[in-house]
Amino acid sequence: MRDDVHDALSVRWDEAALRVPRNYGDPAAEYDAMRNAAGVVDRRDRHFLRVHGRDPVRMLQGLVSNDIANAPEGRAVYATVLTPKGKMIADVRVLKRGAELLVECDAAALEPLTAHLRKFVPPLFARFEDAGLTAIGVFGPRAHDVLRQALGVTVQPAATDGSVAHDVAYEVTVAGGDPGRAPILVITTSYAGVPGCDVICPAQDADDVWTRLVDAGARPVGHATLDVLRIEAGTPKWGAELTDATIPLEAGLRARAISETKGCYTGQEVIIRILHRGHVNWLLRGV
């Protein structure tokens, strides 16, 4: 999204790392919107890779900790990418789109993730590139109402199958929009501990999507408030609780990010050894 869209709303920017909207002048009202109505957040902290080629699913299946090959149709799978010693390179969300994969990661993890893919994915079988997409988050008890009014999509809350969490993906063609415009993805998420969705669209459409969501009643919310909610929900974040020194079991990611039936992947030996023969020395807990 263009910065001037936020500047017109009296945004206060967070310049600490990636430049993101911190708040819009009233953090208490933003928190109230997320808890009791609906808030909309510019998720420029997320990055998307398109993985395509002869066999992208098989190539990534051996590099991530969760089972993407057997994921139900239309589900995005949360997983970790690990070193052989079980330390995290990134946490990702992977969605199969026909013969391709869409891989989402934190922008701060993009460089190590792409370096890892270059090292272990033969170009003969899979190639990856910037997908040219951006994400806008909609969170709160009225989030689904806002999405229905703004984009014409009806969504259900994020689902859990057994011990593995999957986020449901919807493909949307916006009514009244440019007929040549690419479809928008809406993926449910429990990231903030309230009903929510990530709206993923081509970067050039982000301003229009943002305006539609705000006009439908979502209040602009900064990352300071989003951070409060995800901490209250116990959701770890890359660059905060998750780093390249973290083993995913230390961060409580066993149920969400690790398949114990899929077979081999990089770092699996360490994970299995901890699960069946030992324990972690650190464990993330809320205080």
Side-chain angles (χ1 to χ4, degrees):
M1 287 183 59
R2 300 195 323 268
D3 286 357
D4 59 354
V5 174
H6 298 294
D7 290 335
L9 299 169
S10 301
V11 68
R12 297 176 181 177
W13 293 100
D14 188 340
E15 308 277 3
L18 180 68
R19 191 171 191 255
V20 298
R22 181 169 179 79
N23 64 60
Y24 296 87
D26 192 345
E30 294 175 27
Y31 182 87
D32 181 69
M34 296 276 270
R35 282 291 180 199
N36 300 305
V40 56
V41 185
D42 180 351
R43 297 304 311 273
R44 60 176 64 189
D45 57 317
R46 310 304 296 168
H47 198 95
F48 298 88
L49 294 172
R50 172 179 171 248
V51 185
H52 59 101
R54 183 180 297 180
D55 202 351
V57 173
R58 184 165 65 93
M59 291 299 98
L60 261 67
Q61 179 78 344
L63 294 179
V64 301
S65 61
N66 216 335
D67 191 351
I68 57 175
N70 296 304
E73 192 68 28
R75 301 289 181 89
V77 178
Y78 179 74
T80 59
V81 181
L82 306 176
T83 70
K85 294 185 177 181
K87 301 294 181 67
M88 291 181 64
I89 293 168
D91 63 331
V92 297
R93 188 165 56 171
V94 183
L95 175 67
K96 287 189 290 187
R97 303 186 73 188
E100 300 181 352
L101 296 174
L102 185 66
V103 179
E104 175 192 354
C105 70
D106 191 284
L110 177 63
E111 186 175 341
L113 175 60
T114 54
H116 188 73
L117 293 177
R118 287 191 194 97
K119 183 176 181 180
F120 290 104
V121 176
L124 178 65
F125 293 100
R127 299 180 299 278
F128 56 94
E129 60 192 30
D130 188 330
L133 300 174
T134 192
I136 298 171
V138 188
F139 304 96
R142 289 200 61 249
H144 296 171
D145 294 335
V146 166
L147 287 162
R148 184 166 54 250
Q149 182 178 336
L151 303 178
V153 59
T154 300
V155 302
Q156 300 297 323
T160 300
D161 300 333
S163 64
V164 182
H166 299 278
D167 294 345
V168 183
Y170 302 81
E171 193 166 277
V172 182
T173 300
V174 179
D178 181 350
R181 188 163 77 175
I184 292 171
L185 279 175
V186 176
I187 304 181
T188 58
T189 177
S190 55
Y191 178 80
V194 293
C197 291
D198 293 317
V199 181
I200 302 165
C201 63
Q204 64 268 22
D205 296 333
D207 292 351
D208 175 59
V209 171
W210 173 274
T211 299
R212 287 173 180 261
L213 294 168
V214 171
D215 289 348
R219 183 186 184 102
V221 170
H223 281 244
T225 297
L226 179 62
D227 216 34
V228 170
L229 266 76
R230 68 100 188 156
I231 290 171
E232 290 177 341
T235 305
K237 177 184 176 182
W238 186 262
E241 297 82 14
L242 304 178
T243 72
D244 59 8
T246 305
I247 296 172
L249 296 176
E250 297 174 330
L253 298 182
R254 178 179 180 178
R256 285 187 64 210
I258 296 172
S259 169
E260 298 178 35
T261 60
K262 63 168 278 187
C264 296
Y265 59 89
T266 303
Q268 182 200 30
E269 183 179 349
V270 175
I271 300 299
I272 293 299
R273 190 184 310 130
I274 293 171
L275 290 176
H276 297 288
R277 301 181 190 174
H279 59 84
V280 293
N281 294 323
W282 306 93
L283 194 59
L284 181 65
R285 284 285 184 265
V287 177

PDB file of all heavy atoms in Angstrom, residues 217-254:
ATOM      1  N   GLY A 217     -16.716  -0.533   7.319  1.00  0.00           N
ATOM      2  CA  GLY A 217     -16.803  -0.399   8.773  1.00  0.00           C
ATOM      3  C   GLY A 217     -15.602  -0.845   9.566  1.00  0.00           C
ATOM      4  O   GLY A 217     -15.636  -0.793  10.807  1.00  0.00           O
ATOM      5  N   ALA A 218     -14.524  -1.272   8.918  1.00  0.00           N
ATOM      6  CA  ALA A 218     -13.321  -1.671   9.660  1.00  0.00           C
ATOM      7  C   ALA A 218     -12.504  -0.442  10.016  1.00  0.00           C
ATOM      8  O   ALA A 218     -12.288   0.430   9.177  1.00  0.00           O
ATOM      9  CB  ALA A 218     -12.484  -2.634   8.828  1.00  0.00           C
ATOM     10  N   ARG A 219     -12.038  -0.372  11.246  1.00  0.00           N
ATOM     11  CA  ARG A 219     -11.240   0.757  11.706  1.00  0.00           C
ATOM     12  C   ARG A 219      -9.762   0.506  11.408  1.00  0.00           C
ATOM     13  O   ARG A 219      -9.256  -0.593  11.698  1.00  0.00           O
ATOM     14  CB  ARG A 219     -11.424   0.954  13.211  1.00  0.00           C
ATOM     15  CG  ARG A 219     -10.671   2.172  13.760  1.00  0.00           C
ATOM     16  CD  ARG A 219     -10.762   2.257  15.271  1.00  0.00           C
ATOM     17  NE  ARG A 219     -10.117   3.492  15.722  1.00  0.00           N
ATOM     18  CZ  ARG A 219     -10.754   4.601  16.092  1.00  0.00           C
ATOM     19  NH1 ARG A 219     -12.089   4.618  16.075  1.00  0.00           N
ATOM     20  NH2 ARG A 219     -10.096   5.675  16.472  1.00  0.00           N
ATOM     21  N   PRO A 220      -9.045   1.468  10.839  1.00  0.00           N
ATOM     22  CA  PRO A 220      -7.600   1.296  10.656  1.00  0.00           C
ATOM     23  C   PRO A 220      -6.897   1.068  11.989  1.00  0.00           C
ATOM     24  O   PRO A 220      -7.116   1.814  12.956  1.00  0.00           O
ATOM     25  CB  PRO A 220      -7.174   2.618  10.015  1.00  0.00           C
ATOM     26  CG  PRO A 220      -8.395   3.112   9.317  1.00  0.00           C
ATOM     27  CD  PRO A 220      -9.528   2.721  10.213  1.00  0.00           C
ATOM     28  N   VAL A 221      -6.064   0.040  12.042  1.00  0.00           N
ATOM     29  CA  VAL A 221      -5.391  -0.370  13.274  1.00  0.00           C
ATOM     30  C   VAL A 221      -3.911  -0.561  12.968  1.00  0.00           C
ATOM     31  O   VAL A 221      -3.535  -1.108  11.915  1.00  0.00           O
ATOM     32  CB  VAL A 221      -6.000  -1.681  13.818  1.00  0.00           C
ATOM     33  CG1 VAL A 221      -5.158  -2.257  14.952  1.00  0.00           C
ATOM     34  CG2 VAL A 221      -7.437  -1.448  14.275  1.00  0.00           C
ATOM     35  N   GLY A 222      -3.054  -0.126  13.898  1.00  0.00           N
ATOM     36  CA  GLY A 222      -1.620  -0.254  13.716  1.00  0.00           C
ATOM     37  C   GLY A 222      -1.063  -1.549  14.281  1.00  0.00           C
ATOM     38  O   GLY A 222      -1.746  -2.324  14.961  1.00  0.00           O
ATOM     39  N   HIS A 223       0.213  -1.760  14.025  1.00  0.00           N
ATOM     40  CA  HIS A 223       0.868  -2.996  14.439  1.00  0.00           C
ATOM     41  C   HIS A 223       1.077  -3.069  15.949  1.00  0.00           C
ATOM     42  O   HIS A 223       1.226  -4.171  16.492  1.00  0.00           O
ATOM     43  CB  HIS A 223       2.195  -3.147  13.700  1.00  0.00           C
ATOM     44  CG  HIS A 223       2.032  -3.647  12.308  1.00  0.00           C
ATOM     45  ND1 HIS A 223       2.527  -4.861  11.880  1.00  0.00           N
ATOM     46  CD2 HIS A 223       1.394  -3.115  11.231  1.00  0.00           C
ATOM     47  CE1 HIS A 223       2.213  -5.047  10.606  1.00  0.00           C
ATOM     48  NE2 HIS A 223       1.540  -4.000  10.188  1.00  0.00           N
ATOM     49  N   ALA A 224       1.077  -1.940  16.639  1.00  0.00           N
ATOM     50  CA  ALA A 224       1.214  -1.982  18.096  1.00  0.00           C
ATOM     51  C   ALA A 224       0.035  -2.718  18.716  1.00  0.00           C
ATOM     52  O   ALA A 224       0.205  -3.562  19.607  1.00  0.00           O
ATOM     53  CB  ALA A 224       1.331  -0.567  18.655  1.00  0.00           C
ATOM     54  N   THR A 225      -1.169  -2.433  18.228  1.00  0.00           N
ATOM     55  CA  THR A 225      -2.360  -3.106  18.739  1.00  0.00           C
ATOM     56  C   THR A 225      -2.404  -4.560  18.288  1.00  0.00           C
ATOM     57  O   THR A 225      -2.742  -5.450  19.073  1.00  0.00           O
ATOM     58  CB  THR A 225      -3.628  -2.376  18.285  1.00  0.00           C
ATOM     59  OG1 THR A 225      -3.632  -1.060  18.847  1.00  0.00           O
ATOM     60  CG2 THR A 225      -4.883  -3.109  18.727  1.00  0.00           C
ATOM     61  N   LEU A 226      -2.059  -4.815  17.028  1.00  0.00           N
ATOM     62  CA  LEU A 226      -2.028  -6.193  16.546  1.00  0.00           C
ATOM     63  C   LEU A 226      -1.057  -7.021  17.377  1.00  0.00           C
ATOM     64  O   LEU A 226      -1.336  -8.182  17.709  1.00  0.00           O
ATOM     65  CB  LEU A 226      -1.615  -6.220  15.075  1.00  0.00           C
ATOM     66  CG  LEU A 226      -1.522  -7.601  14.427  1.00  0.00           C
ATOM     67  CD1 LEU A 226      -2.870  -8.313  14.431  1.00  0.00           C
ATOM     68  CD2 LEU A 226      -0.988  -7.493  13.005  1.00  0.00           C
ATOM     69  N   ASP A 227       0.059  -6.436  17.755  1.00  0.00           N
ATOM     70  CA  ASP A 227       1.049  -7.141  18.562  1.00  0.00           C
ATOM     71  C   ASP A 227       0.492  -7.482  19.939  1.00  0.00           C
ATOM     72  O   ASP A 227       0.735  -8.569  20.469  1.00  0.00           O
ATOM     73  CB  ASP A 227       2.312  -6.292  18.687  1.00  0.00           C
ATOM     74  CG  ASP A 227       3.576  -7.129  18.680  1.00  0.00           C
ATOM     75  OD1 ASP A 227       3.605  -8.160  17.979  1.00  0.00           O
ATOM     76  OD2 ASP A 227       4.534  -6.749  19.379  1.00  0.00           O
ATOM     77  N   VAL A 228      -0.269  -6.571  20.527  1.00  0.00           N
ATOM     78  CA  VAL A 228      -0.882  -6.834  21.834  1.00  0.00           C
ATOM     79  C   VAL A 228      -1.815  -8.034  21.744  1.00  0.00           C
ATOM     80  O   VAL A 228      -1.774  -8.948  22.580  1.00  0.00           O
ATOM     81  CB  VAL A 228      -1.633  -5.591  22.347  1.00  0.00           C
ATOM     82  CG1 VAL A 228      -2.470  -5.943  23.587  1.00  0.00           C
ATOM     83  CG2 VAL A 228      -0.664  -4.473  22.691  1.00  0.00           C
ATOM     84  N   LEU A 229      -2.650  -8.057  20.712  1.00  0.00           N
ATOM     85  CA  LEU A 229      -3.619  -9.143  20.587  1.00  0.00           C
ATOM     86  C   LEU A 229      -2.952 -10.487  20.321  1.00  0.00           C
ATOM     87  O   LEU A 229      -3.349 -11.509  20.891  1.00  0.00           O
ATOM     88  CB  LEU A 229      -4.639  -8.829  19.488  1.00  0.00           C
ATOM     89  CG  LEU A 229      -5.924  -8.171  20.012  1.00  0.00           C
ATOM     90  CD1 LEU A 229      -5.673  -6.705  20.334  1.00  0.00           C
ATOM     91  CD2 LEU A 229      -7.066  -8.316  19.036  1.00  0.00           C
ATOM     92  N   ARG A 230      -1.927 -10.506  19.477  1.00  0.00           N
ATOM     93  CA  ARG A 230      -1.304 -11.803  19.185  1.00  0.00           C
ATOM     94  C   ARG A 230      -0.535 -12.311  20.400  1.00  0.00           C
ATOM     95  O   ARG A 230      -0.449 -13.522  20.628  1.00  0.00           O
ATOM     96  CB  ARG A 230      -0.444 -11.727  17.925  1.00  0.00           C
ATOM     97  CG  ARG A 230       0.803 -10.887  17.985  1.00  0.00           C
ATOM     98  CD  ARG A 230       2.041 -11.729  18.197  1.00  0.00           C
ATOM     99  NE  ARG A 230       3.207 -10.900  18.433  1.00  0.00           N
ATOM    100  CZ  ARG A 230       4.279 -11.334  19.075  1.00  0.00           C
ATOM    101  NH1 ARG A 230       4.346 -12.555  19.556  1.00  0.00           N
ATOM    102  NH2 ARG A 230       5.314 -10.540  19.267  1.00  0.00           N
ATOM    103  N   ILE A 231       0.008 -11.408  21.243  1.00  0.00           N
ATOM    104  CA  ILE A 231       0.657 -11.836  22.486  1.00  0.00           C
ATOM    105  C   ILE A 231      -0.390 -12.380  23.455  1.00  0.00           C
ATOM    106  O   ILE A 231      -0.200 -13.433  24.086  1.00  0.00           O
ATOM    107  CB  ILE A 231       1.449 -10.681  23.115  1.00  0.00           C
ATOM    108  CG1 ILE A 231       2.677 -10.350  22.255  1.00  0.00           C
ATOM    109  CG2 ILE A 231       1.877 -11.023  24.541  1.00  0.00           C
ATOM    110  CD1 ILE A 231       3.407  -9.096  22.670  1.00  0.00           C
ATOM    111  N   GLU A 232      -1.517 -11.688  23.566  1.00  0.00           N
ATOM    112  CA  GLU A 232      -2.598 -12.182  24.434  1.00  0.00           C
ATOM    113  C   GLU A 232      -3.108 -13.538  23.947  1.00  0.00           C
ATOM    114  O   GLU A 232      -3.547 -14.370  24.754  1.00  0.00           O
ATOM    115  CB  GLU A 232      -3.735 -11.170  24.466  1.00  0.00           C
ATOM    116  CG  GLU A 232      -3.387  -9.885  25.212  1.00  0.00           C
ATOM    117  CD  GLU A 232      -4.491  -8.850  25.169  1.00  0.00           C
ATOM    118  OE1 GLU A 232      -5.381  -8.939  24.296  1.00  0.00           O
ATOM    119  OE2 GLU A 232      -4.463  -7.924  26.007  1.00  0.00           O
ATOM    120  N   ALA A 233      -3.056 -13.767  22.655  1.00  0.00           N
ATOM    121  CA  ALA A 233      -3.498 -15.043  22.093  1.00  0.00           C
ATOM    122  C   ALA A 233      -2.425 -16.121  22.195  1.00  0.00           C
ATOM    123  O   ALA A 233      -2.688 -17.291  21.895  1.00  0.00           O
ATOM    124  CB  ALA A 233      -3.889 -14.857  20.627  1.00  0.00           C
ATOM    125  N   GLY A 234      -1.200 -15.753  22.579  1.00  0.00           N
ATOM    126  CA  GLY A 234      -0.117 -16.716  22.676  1.00  0.00           C
ATOM    127  C   GLY A 234       0.465 -17.116  21.339  1.00  0.00           C
ATOM    128  O   GLY A 234       0.998 -18.214  21.181  1.00  0.00           O
ATOM    129  N   THR A 235       0.394 -16.216  20.351  1.00  0.00           N
ATOM    130  CA  THR A 235       0.926 -16.499  19.023  1.00  0.00           C
ATOM    131  C   THR A 235       2.336 -15.946  18.895  1.00  0.00           C
ATOM    132  O   THR A 235       2.527 -14.730  18.929  1.00  0.00           O
ATOM    133  CB  THR A 235       0.047 -15.859  17.935  1.00  0.00           C
ATOM    134  OG1 THR A 235      -1.310 -16.304  18.095  1.00  0.00           O
ATOM    135  CG2 THR A 235       0.557 -16.232  16.544  1.00  0.00           C
ATOM    136  N   PRO A 236       3.353 -16.778  18.766  1.00  0.00           N
ATOM    137  CA  PRO A 236       4.724 -16.278  18.621  1.00  0.00           C
ATOM    138  C   PRO A 236       4.948 -15.681  17.235  1.00  0.00           C
ATOM    139  O   PRO A 236       4.287 -16.056  16.260  1.00  0.00           O
ATOM    140  CB  PRO A 236       5.588 -17.522  18.837  1.00  0.00           C
ATOM    141  CG  PRO A 236       4.717 -18.659  18.435  1.00  0.00           C
ATOM    142  CD  PRO A 236       3.315 -18.259  18.780  1.00  0.00           C
ATOM    143  N   LYS A 237       5.872 -14.746  17.149  1.00  0.00           N
ATOM    144  CA  LYS A 237       6.136 -14.029  15.903  1.00  0.00           C
ATOM    145  C   LYS A 237       7.621 -14.094  15.576  1.00  0.00           C
ATOM    146  O   LYS A 237       8.471 -14.026  16.461  1.00  0.00           O
ATOM    147  CB  LYS A 237       5.703 -12.568  16.044  1.00  0.00           C
ATOM    148  CG  LYS A 237       5.987 -11.707  14.832  1.00  0.00           C
ATOM    149  CD  LYS A 237       5.615 -10.253  15.092  1.00  0.00           C
ATOM    150  CE  LYS A 237       5.984  -9.376  13.907  1.00  0.00           C
ATOM    151  NZ  LYS A 237       5.678  -7.951  14.132  1.00  0.00           N
ATOM    152  N   TRP A 238       7.907 -14.184  14.259  1.00  0.00           N
ATOM    153  CA  TRP A 238       9.291 -14.169  13.820  1.00  0.00           C
ATOM    154  C   TRP A 238       9.932 -12.824  14.157  1.00  0.00           C
ATOM    155  O   TRP A 238       9.346 -11.777  13.957  1.00  0.00           O
ATOM    156  CB  TRP A 238       9.390 -14.416  12.315  1.00  0.00           C
ATOM    157  CG  TRP A 238      10.811 -14.559  11.874  1.00  0.00           C
ATOM    158  CD1 TRP A 238      11.608 -13.610  11.315  1.00  0.00           C
ATOM    159  CD2 TRP A 238      11.635 -15.723  12.042  1.00  0.00           C
ATOM    160  NE1 TRP A 238      12.869 -14.112  11.112  1.00  0.00           N
ATOM    161  CE2 TRP A 238      12.913 -15.408  11.536  1.00  0.00           C
ATOM    162  CE3 TRP A 238      11.400 -17.001  12.544  1.00  0.00           C
ATOM    163  CZ2 TRP A 238      13.950 -16.327  11.531  1.00  0.00           C
ATOM    164  CZ3 TRP A 238      12.435 -17.909  12.539  1.00  0.00           C
ATOM    165  CH2 TRP A 238      13.692 -17.574  12.039  1.00  0.00           C
ATOM    166  N   GLY A 239      11.147 -12.876  14.703  1.00  0.00           N
ATOM    167  CA  GLY A 239      11.848 -11.666  15.095  1.00  0.00           C
ATOM    168  C   GLY A 239      11.588 -11.267  16.527  1.00  0.00           C
ATOM    169  O   GLY A 239      12.277 -10.400  17.073  1.00  0.00           O
ATOM    170  N   ALA A 240      10.605 -11.884  17.158  1.00  0.00           N
ATOM    171  CA  ALA A 240      10.324 -11.641  18.575  1.00  0.00           C
ATOM    172  C   ALA A 240      10.577 -12.943  19.331  1.00  0.00           C
ATOM    173  O   ALA A 240      11.686 -13.228  19.757  1.00  0.00           O
ATOM    174  CB  ALA A 240       8.886 -11.137  18.755  1.00  0.00           C
ATOM    175  N   GLU A 241       9.541 -13.777  19.464  1.00  0.00           N
ATOM    176  CA  GLU A 241       9.716 -15.055  20.160  1.00  0.00           C
ATOM    177  C   GLU A 241      10.365 -16.122  19.278  1.00  0.00           C
ATOM    178  O   GLU A 241      10.889 -17.121  19.798  1.00  0.00           O
ATOM    179  CB  GLU A 241       8.353 -15.575  20.656  1.00  0.00           C
ATOM    180  CG  GLU A 241       7.675 -14.683  21.676  1.00  0.00           C
ATOM    181  CD  GLU A 241       6.921 -13.534  21.025  1.00  0.00           C
ATOM    182  OE1 GLU A 241       6.698 -13.569  19.795  1.00  0.00           O
ATOM    183  OE2 GLU A 241       6.573 -12.583  21.749  1.00  0.00           O
ATOM    184  N   LEU A 242      10.291 -15.936  17.976  1.00  0.00           N
ATOM    185  CA  LEU A 242      10.887 -16.893  17.040  1.00  0.00           C
ATOM    186  C   LEU A 242      12.110 -16.276  16.386  1.00  0.00           C
ATOM    187  O   LEU A 242      12.030 -15.186  15.809  1.00  0.00           O
ATOM    188  CB  LEU A 242       9.878 -17.283  15.954  1.00  0.00           C
ATOM    189  CG  LEU A 242       8.540 -17.852  16.415  1.00  0.00           C
ATOM    190  CD1 LEU A 242       7.642 -18.138  15.216  1.00  0.00           C
ATOM    191  CD2 LEU A 242       8.732 -19.116  17.248  1.00  0.00           C
ATOM    192  N   THR A 243      13.238 -16.971  16.457  1.00  0.00           N
ATOM    193  CA  THR A 243      14.481 -16.511  15.845  1.00  0.00           C
ATOM    194  C   THR A 243      15.208 -17.708  15.247  1.00  0.00           C
ATOM    195  O   THR A 243      14.752 -18.857  15.356  1.00  0.00           O
ATOM    196  CB  THR A 243      15.409 -15.827  16.860  1.00  0.00           C
ATOM    197  OG1 THR A 243      15.961 -16.837  17.738  1.00  0.00           O
ATOM    198  CG2 THR A 243      14.680 -14.785  17.698  1.00  0.00           C
ATOM    199  N   ASP A 244      16.375 -17.458  14.667  1.00  0.00           N
ATOM    200  CA  ASP A 244      17.150 -18.560  14.092  1.00  0.00           C
ATOM    201  C   ASP A 244      17.819 -19.426  15.157  1.00  0.00           C
ATOM    202  O   ASP A 244      18.506 -20.397  14.818  1.00  0.00           O
ATOM    203  CB  ASP A 244      18.181 -18.027  13.097  1.00  0.00           C
ATOM    204  CG  ASP A 244      19.156 -17.035  13.717  1.00  0.00           C
ATOM    205  OD1 ASP A 244      19.142 -16.854  14.958  1.00  0.00           O
ATOM    206  OD2 ASP A 244      19.934 -16.437  12.956  1.00  0.00           O
ATOM    207  N   ALA A 245      17.611 -19.094  16.433  1.00  0.00           N
ATOM    208  CA  ALA A 245      18.111 -19.935  17.523  1.00  0.00           C
ATOM    209  C   ALA A 245      17.003 -20.800  18.129  1.00  0.00           C
ATOM    210  O   ALA A 245      17.250 -21.572  19.055  1.00  0.00           O
ATOM    211  CB  ALA A 245      18.737 -19.073  18.616  1.00  0.00           C
ATOM    212  N   THR A 246      15.774 -20.680  17.609  1.00  0.00           N
ATOM    213  CA  THR A 246      14.619 -21.359  18.186  1.00  0.00           C
ATOM    214  C   THR A 246      14.385 -22.716  17.552  1.00  0.00           C
ATOM    215  O   THR A 246      14.388 -22.857  16.324  1.00  0.00           O
ATOM    216  CB  THR A 246      13.343 -20.506  17.996  1.00  0.00           C
ATOM    217  OG1 THR A 246      13.542 -19.206  18.548  1.00  0.00           O
ATOM    218  CG2 THR A 246      12.144 -21.157  18.680  1.00  0.00           C
ATOM    219  N   ILE A 247      14.183 -23.728  18.387  1.00  0.00           N
ATOM    220  CA  ILE A 247      13.644 -25.014  17.950  1.00  0.00           C
ATOM    221  C   ILE A 247      12.126 -24.895  18.091  1.00  0.00           C
ATOM    222  O   ILE A 247      11.638 -24.443  19.132  1.00  0.00           O
ATOM    223  CB  ILE A 247      14.182 -26.164  18.823  1.00  0.00           C
ATOM    224  CG1 ILE A 247      15.699 -26.285  18.642  1.00  0.00           C
ATOM    225  CG2 ILE A 247      13.497 -27.481  18.484  1.00  0.00           C
ATOM    226  CD1 ILE A 247      16.361 -27.274  19.599  1.00  0.00           C
ATOM    227  N   PRO A 248      11.339 -25.250  17.074  1.00  0.00           N
ATOM    228  CA  PRO A 248       9.892 -24.976  17.129  1.00  0.00           C
ATOM    229  C   PRO A 248       9.180 -25.557  18.347  1.00  0.00           C
ATOM    230  O   PRO A 248       8.204 -24.983  18.825  1.00  0.00           O
ATOM    231  CB  PRO A 248       9.360 -25.565  15.818  1.00  0.00           C
ATOM    232  CG  PRO A 248      10.454 -26.400  15.264  1.00  0.00           C
ATOM    233  CD  PRO A 248      11.729 -25.835  15.774  1.00  0.00           C
ATOM    234  N   LEU A 249       9.668 -26.667  18.873  1.00  0.00           N
ATOM    235  CA  LEU A 249       9.044 -27.244  20.066  1.00  0.00           C
ATOM    236  C   LEU A 249       9.208 -26.324  21.274  1.00  0.00           C
ATOM    237  O   LEU A 249       8.384 -26.355  22.194  1.00  0.00           O
ATOM    238  CB  LEU A 249       9.641 -28.617  20.357  1.00  0.00           C
ATOM    239  CG  LEU A 249       9.386 -29.695  19.291  1.00  0.00           C
ATOM    240  CD1 LEU A 249      10.119 -30.977  19.652  1.00  0.00           C
ATOM    241  CD2 LEU A 249       7.907 -29.949  19.109  1.00  0.00           C
ATOM    242  N   GLU A 250      10.252 -25.518  21.290  1.00  0.00           N
ATOM    243  CA  GLU A 250      10.443 -24.565  22.387  1.00  0.00           C
ATOM    244  C   GLU A 250       9.370 -23.489  22.376  1.00  0.00           C
ATOM    245  O   GLU A 250       9.054 -22.909  23.413  1.00  0.00           O
ATOM    246  CB  GLU A 250      11.825 -23.907  22.282  1.00  0.00           C
ATOM    247  CG  GLU A 250      12.991 -24.854  22.425  1.00  0.00           C
ATOM    248  CD  GLU A 250      14.325 -24.184  22.165  1.00  0.00           C
ATOM    249  OE1 GLU A 250      14.360 -23.224  21.355  1.00  0.00           O
ATOM    250  OE2 GLU A 250      15.343 -24.616  22.758  1.00  0.00           O
ATOM    251  N   ALA A 251       8.819 -23.210  21.199  1.00  0.00           N
ATOM    252  CA  ALA A 251       7.831 -22.139  21.056  1.00  0.00           C
ATOM    253  C   ALA A 251       6.398 -22.659  21.055  1.00  0.00           C
ATOM    254  O   ALA A 251       5.470 -21.915  20.742  1.00  0.00           O
ATOM    255  CB  ALA A 251       8.097 -21.361  19.758  1.00  0.00           C
ATOM    256  N   GLY A 252       6.207 -23.923  21.395  1.00  0.00           N
ATOM    257  CA  GLY A 252       4.860 -24.480  21.469  1.00  0.00           C
ATOM    258  C   GLY A 252       4.203 -24.692  20.120  1.00  0.00           C
ATOM    259  O   GLY A 252       2.970 -24.640  20.013  1.00  0.00           O
ATOM    260  N   LEU A 253       4.996 -24.967  19.081  1.00  0.00           N
ATOM    261  CA  LEU A 253       4.456 -25.084  17.725  1.00  0.00           C
ATOM    262  C   LEU A 253       4.189 -26.528  17.295  1.00  0.00           C
ATOM    263  O   LEU A 253       3.905 -26.769  16.124  1.00  0.00           O
ATOM    264  CB  LEU A 253       5.415 -24.422  16.728  1.00  0.00           C
ATOM    265  CG  LEU A 253       5.666 -22.922  16.915  1.00  0.00           C
ATOM    266  CD1 LEU A 253       6.604 -22.407  15.828  1.00  0.00           C
ATOM    267  CD2 LEU A 253       4.360 -22.143  16.911  1.00  0.00           C
ATOM    268  N   ARG A 254       4.257 -27.458  18.222  1.00  0.00           N
ATOM    269  CA  ARG A 254       4.105 -28.866  17.841  1.00  0.00           C
ATOM    270  C   ARG A 254       2.779 -29.132  17.125  1.00  0.00           C
ATOM    271  O   ARG A 254       2.753 -29.721  16.041  1.00  0.00           O
ATOM    272  CB  ARG A 254       4.215 -29.752  19.087  1.00  0.00           C
ATOM    273  CG  ARG A 254       4.012 -31.237  18.799  1.00  0.00           C
ATOM    274  CD  ARG A 254       4.162 -32.071  20.059  1.00  0.00           C
ATOM    275  NE  ARG A 254       3.970 -33.495  19.797  1.00  0.00           N
ATOM    276  CZ  ARG A 254       4.080 -34.446  20.717  1.00  0.00           C
ATOM    277  NH1 ARG A 254       4.395 -34.124  21.969  1.00  0.00           N
ATOM    278  NH2 ARG A 254       3.878 -35.716  20.401  1.00  0.00           N
TER     279      ARG A 254
END
